[in-house]
Amino acid sequence: FCDALGARGVQWGFNSRFGRGAEGNVELLRHFEKDGRFEVRQSKAVMLDGISISSTAIRKRIISGDLDNAARMLGRRVSLLGTVVPGDGRGKALGFPTANLDLHHEAVPPPGIYACETLVQGRTHIAVANIGPCPTFTPPKPSDAVEVHILDFDQAITAEDVEVQFIRFLREEIKFRTIDALIRQMRTDVAETRRIVQSCS
């Protein structure tokens, strides 16, 4: 470790573990510190509403849909990072083209429709994100599928990385009886997203 990285010090989380079976802990690092290999500093727990902030605590809140408290723990909005991959073209056919994301090992919020902002090629855009199987169509997509309709945007971005920042949950995913009903709801989602994002500016 020391030879490979040239480490002179280790900043250690208050409850971090490492190694096989998570057997490594700060006490083991202290042993190496006594040998003069490097200095060990252990961070104290940072608390929020009586709960210690950790990657596990944040992940649990994101997966459960508690994005407000996850954002409080992060000190920023909850976001997903993914690479745009080719989709089935359904969104474009409906008048709402979407960027389908291959996620970079992310904790994904529950299925639903979200008001968002996206960062694409260094610029921020208002967007509506859909997480879930798109039940109006068959075959369904995976429950953690993420596609993003970027408002007022018509550039080809396949293979580009996109960051999606979640602002507010809009509604549950539902199965619409007709395509026209779906389109009407999508127009409502877009209008509501514009209102929400502009009110946050």
Side-chain angles (χ1 to χ4, degrees):
F1 173 79
C2 299
D3 295 338
L5 298 180
R8 296 184 179 179
V10 175
Q11 185 71 39
W12 197 248
F14 73 97
N15 64 348
S16 298
R17 312 283 293 190
F18 69 96
R20 185 180 63 185
E23 296 176 355
N25 55 26
V26 70
E27 285 73 23
L28 178 59
L29 291 176
R30 296 288 187 202
H31 172 76
F32 293 125
E33 181 182 38
K34 291 178 180 178
D35 292 343
R37 299 189 184 186
F38 49 71
E39 178 184 2
V40 178
R41 295 181 181 178
Q42 186 171 25
S43 302
K44 294 182 180 179
V46 178
M47 309 298 290
L48 178 66
D49 298 333
I51 298 172
S52 59
I53 297 175
S54 67
S55 59
T56 299
I58 293 168
R59 183 181 180 86
K60 286 181 178 178
R61 279 155 184 77
I62 292 173
I63 293 173
S64 70
D66 186 6
L67 301 189
D68 288 342
N69 279 318
R72 291 175 65 202
M73 288 183 168
L74 287 165
R76 60 170 175 80
R77 293 173 180 166
V78 172
S79 66
L80 294 175
L81 181 65
T83 302
V84 179
V85 296
D88 51 27
R90 287 174 182 164
K92 185 175 182 179
L94 297 175
F96 298 87
T98 59
N100 298 269
L101 301 187
D102 180 14
L103 299 180
H104 297 181
H105 307 291
E106 307 281 345
V108 181
I113 314 301
Y114 296 83
C116 302
E117 285 189 321
T118 60
L119 185 64
V120 185
Q121 299 174 337
R123 299 188 64 181
T124 301
H125 304 269
I126 300 173
V128 181
N130 187 107
I131 299 178
C134 300
T136 302
F137 301 98
T138 54
K141 295 184 177 183
S143 62
D144 60 351
V146 179
E147 52 185 323
V148 185
H149 173 57
I150 306 173
L151 279 58
D152 309 317
F153 186 86
D154 60 1
Q155 299 178 35
I157 54 172
T158 299
E160 296 276 356
D161 287 343
V162 172
E163 181 183 358
V164 182
Q165 301 175 355
F166 293 87
I167 298 176
R168 189 174 302 172
F169 176 81
L170 293 179
R171 62 176 177 86
E172 301 282 350
E173 260 202 326
I174 61 174
K175 183 174 182 177
F176 291 89
R177 292 185 177 181
T178 67
I179 298 302
D180 286 343
L182 171 59
I183 291 173
R184 287 194 297 272
Q185 182 60 59
M186 292 169 74
R187 289 173 178 161
T188 299
D189 296 338
V190 167
E192 179 67 3
T193 294
R194 286 190 191 277
R195 185 191 67 78
I196 289 170
V197 175
Q198 290 170 358
S199 69
C200 293
S201 301

